[in-house]
Structures are given as C-alpha cells and as structure tokens.
Amino acid sequence: MYIFTATGNKWTKNNINWYVTKYTNQLSQDDQRRSFRKALKKWADVSSLEFTERREEVDIEIKFVTRDHGDNSSFDGPSTILAHAFAPGRVALAGDAHFDDDEQWTADVDNEDKNKKFLELIAAHEFGHALGLEHSFDSRALMSAYYVNSQREYELAQDDINGIQFLYGKLNTSSMVGITIITVMSPIESNVLHTINTAVNAYR
C-alpha cells in the first residue's frame, strides 16, 4: 500500500509551460536549463503531463534569488533553506519555484563535494510541489520529507508515480488498487509548500 499527499490543488491542463527568469551565475545557463528539463522529464515519463519551455503564458516560473525576495518567504543565506515552491492555483505565484542563490549548486551528477547541492534532484522535488504534491510518508519517495546532502542519483518511487498519476492520469489508464490518498484540506493557494533544511537533513 502506498501513501502520498496531494495538496488539493492541481493544474487544469496537462501541458505545463516553464521558463527561467533569473539564473544563478554559479553554473552555465545551458547546464541549469538542462537540469530543469531532466527534472521535469521524471514527472512527464510517468504521467500524461507535457512540459514546454516558453517565455509566454508561463505556469512554472523558475528563479534564483536571495534573502527577502518579495514572496513573504525569505531565504536565510547559505546552508539551511535551499528552495521552495508554490502550489498550483490562480494567484500570481502559483506553480513558481525559487532557489536560494546563496547556496552552492552543481549540475554535475559526479560532483562529490557535499557542500554543493545537486540542482536536478532539488528541482525535481520542488516541481512535484509545483504540480500539486505535498510530502510523501514513504521514506523511499522523491517527495519524502528527508534529504541527504550527498545524494546525486535518484528515481521516482512508486509512491511518487501514484501521486502524479492520481492528479493527472497516465496514457494507459489502469486501476489504482491498494492506494491510500491523504489530501491536505483547504490549502492556501499562495502558501509555500516546501523548504529544505540541510542542517537536519530534512525537507520542511
């Protein structure tokens, strides 16, 4: 039996537009865009979702920012909060993902420096929130609350797959037997769903 948590919010379409409006200077723009494409592909590969990089009608706006950046959810400098994302909805920040530019980032899966955060993995988790998933109770899931600084390789667990397919379906629909779904009631659409605290190796 698998247990995932949905926020109660989802996009009302399956083709989601994304765009980076502010890059970090730590990595090349190509490496950053490649990391985001790979992270989104994890979700597209197991669902009916499609993701398009385009400047107009952006659903998931991605940016690197620091400290107080105007969304009432300030970052706190290096080593603690890494990123946060917003649930789908009708407010301006809905679906957006912010990454703390005071952190040290890498796009290299073979980089062994534990002080550098692997952008693709963190982005894949954040995009799960931007698509409507909260934290999973399955410790093996990408959407688990726990994060290991040195982690580089990752795949979606069955719980992640069940969650995204519950929200958006899959190309070949089949019965989802033995799945328990926990829904967070009355979410605030503009509420930040997630921040990462590396000091305790946990997502919050």
Side-chain angles (χ1 to χ4, degrees):
M1 180 175 291
Y2 302 99
I3 303 176
F4 60 86
T5 308
T7 66
N9 288 3
K10 58 170 286 187
W11 297 103
T12 58
K13 58 183 181 178
N14 285 37
N15 195 322
I16 309 300
N17 298 327
W18 66 278
Y19 194 73
V20 183
T21 57
K22 188 174 183 181
Y23 291 91
T24 179
N25 292 326
Q26 300 178 44
L27 306 170
S28 73
Q29 292 189 10
D30 284 345
D31 280 346
Q32 292 172 68
R33 292 169 60 220
R34 186 178 302 110
S35 294
F36 295 136
R37 283 196 298 267
K38 288 181 177 179
L40 290 166
K41 188 175 185 298
K42 293 288 187 181
W43 297 109
D45 282 349
V46 298
S47 72
S48 64
L49 288 168
E50 297 180 1
F51 297 98
T52 303
E53 182 180 8
R54 59 178 297 181
R55 188 188 301 268
E56 300 82 16
E57 299 178 358
V58 177
D59 301 305
I60 300 177
E61 180 182 352
I62 303 166
K63 61 174 66 174
F64 284 83
V65 292
T66 59
R67 306 288 177 168
D68 183 359
H69 50 280
D71 63 2
N72 296 318
S73 297
S74 300
F75 287 137
D76 58 353
S79 300
T80 307
I81 301 173
L82 306 183
H84 56 226
F86 296 82
R90 293 185 294 274
V91 297
L93 288 169
D96 292 355
H98 299 163
F99 298 83
D100 188 352
D101 206 7
D102 281 333
E103 302 296 340
Q104 297 182 52
W105 296 97
T106 182
D108 182 3
V109 70
D110 295 319
N111 189 305
E112 297 181 355
D113 186 345
K114 294 182 180 180
N115 291 318
K116 292 185 180 294
K117 310 306 184 293
F118 185 41
L119 180 59
E120 181 189 330
L121 186 154
I122 302 300
H125 182 105
E126 295 300 337
F127 293 153
H129 289 313
L131 294 170
L133 292 176
E134 246 288 7
H135 288 140
S136 170
F137 293 98
D138 185 343
S139 62
R140 299 164 296 181
L142 174 65
M143 298 309 296
S144 167
Y146 296 97
Y147 166 71
V148 179
N149 287 351
S150 60
Q151 185 176 353
R152 296 290 187 265
E153 300 286 352
Y154 73 101
E155 295 293 339
L156 297 186
Q158 189 62 51
D159 199 60
D160 301 309
I161 295 170
N162 289 341
I164 204 68
Q165 290 180 352
F166 170 73
L167 292 176
Y168 299 100
K170 55 183 179 178
L171 294 180
N172 298 313
T173 304
S174 62
S175 176
M176 297 175 65
V177 177
I179 298 171
T180 299
I181 301 162
I182 299 176
T183 302
V184 178
M185 302 303 293
S186 301
I188 301 173
E189 289 186 333
S190 62
N191 189 36
V192 176
L193 289 177
H194 161 252
T195 56
I196 305 172
N197 188 316
T198 58
V200 295
N201 292 325
Y203 295 111
R204 292 195 306 184

